[in-house]
Amino acid sequence: MLPMLTITIKQGKEKRLLAGDILIYATAIERVDGRPQEKNKLGATAIVQTSSHQFLARAAWNPKSDVRARVWSYKEDEPVDHAMMKRRVRAAIAKRAAAVRAAAPTDLVPVIRGDEDGLPGLLVDSWGGTAGYLICQFQSAGVDAWKVPIVQALLADTGCPNVFERCDELVRKSEGLPVFYRPLAGEEPPDHVLVTEKGSRFSMDLRTGFKYPKVRS
């Protein structure tokens, strides 16, 4: 078996990680050893260690981004796998379940918010409840590499059958990721729906996020 992909942090640069920062920039890295265990190198899991070879974290590796890695876990005994992704998606959904249930049919409601939910780069919004759509943005290589279990968990734990991927093109390109606007499960949203967000009403294309002129009250 190939040696595990390992990122060694420059002496002194580990302080930000020890303080809870999840972003690892190229300037903080002393060297990278080993090879990704996964077929897809973008988003592959790496061990992060100090210059004295002490474990710091497990992180998603992306050699095409200025942010070379994003931390998944600081726990040495916590594997990065399908179970982790599904567990974190489930926890995020549960945390906002009351707000989603209380939402009006036209409300655009947050379901997952990236770093806050231990899923760096993943944004998910709900529109129309269980009969509506989940709009996902995979804005980092790490969550992009785990897209299948993430979508499986969204379907299982929200009861919504329609999951659509849209993207911020600049962010995806900066991560070295292809640009997609596509259904990941179920049906594609219509190009015009009425959306209520922070007290304002808009006609929006959920597929792109484009807001048409504001609807007068």
Side-chain angles (χ1 to χ4, degrees):
M1 181 180 290
L2 294 172
M4 182 76 179
L5 183 65
T6 303
I7 301 168
T8 301
I9 301 299
K10 293 176 182 176
Q11 186 173 2
K13 295 291 187 179
E14 76 280 359
K15 293 177 182 178
R16 291 183 63 177
L17 290 174
L18 292 171
D21 192 348
I22 69 164
L23 303 182
I24 301 172
Y25 291 91
T27 53
I29 296 174
E30 181 177 301
R31 67 176 187 276
V32 179
D33 300 299
R35 294 185 180 181
Q37 303 296 305
E38 299 90 340
K39 292 181 181 179
N40 183 7
K41 294 182 181 179
L42 297 186
T45 303
I47 295 292
V48 184
Q49 64 180 14
T50 67
S51 56
S52 58
H53 308 292
Q54 298 298 307
F55 176 88
L56 283 170
R58 282 188 171 83
W61 168 245
N62 187 354
K64 294 189 176 183
S65 172
D66 289 339
V67 180
R68 288 290 195 268
R70 287 175 166 84
V71 171
W72 283 122
S73 176
Y74 294 102
K75 299 176 182 178
E76 192 168 3
D77 61 352
E78 184 175 30
V80 178
D81 54 16
H82 281 66
M84 171 191 273
M85 300 304 145
K86 291 183 176 182
R87 186 169 61 250
R88 292 188 177 184
V89 169
R90 188 174 301 119
I93 291 169
K95 182 165 62 175
R96 299 179 182 88
V100 173
R101 284 195 300 268
T106 61
D107 287 349
L108 190 64
V109 188
V111 175
I112 296 176
R113 279 298 175 266
D115 299 356
E116 183 181 337
D117 296 310
L119 295 161
L122 178 63
L123 301 176
V124 181
D125 293 291
S126 170
W127 182 89
T130 56
Y133 302 89
L134 294 172
I135 308 300
C136 304
Q137 297 181 64
F138 295 84
Q139 295 186 340
S140 72
V143 289
D144 197 72
W146 293 99
K147 191 174 293 182
V148 170
I150 287 171
V151 172
Q152 289 174 341
L154 285 170
L155 292 169
D157 290 280
T158 65
C160 180
N162 304 309
V163 181
F164 189 84
E165 178 180 8
R166 81 168 185 233
C167 69
D168 182 317
E169 293 190 19
L170 290 177
V171 172
R172 291 276 299 185
K173 288 176 179 177
S174 73
E175 286 283 299
L177 298 169
V179 172
F180 290 121
Y181 296 87
R182 59 181 179 174
L184 299 176
E187 298 179 356
E188 182 173 319
D191 56 4
H192 282 68
V193 298
L194 183 63
V195 171
T196 305
E197 188 177 26
K198 297 179 180 178
S200 296
R201 292 191 301 160
F202 299 88
S203 180
M204 176 186 281
D205 186 341
L206 291 175
R207 300 169 303 176
T208 64
F210 178 76
K211 294 179 181 179
Y212 297 95
K214 188 183 294 187
V215 177
R216 293 183 182 275
S217 300

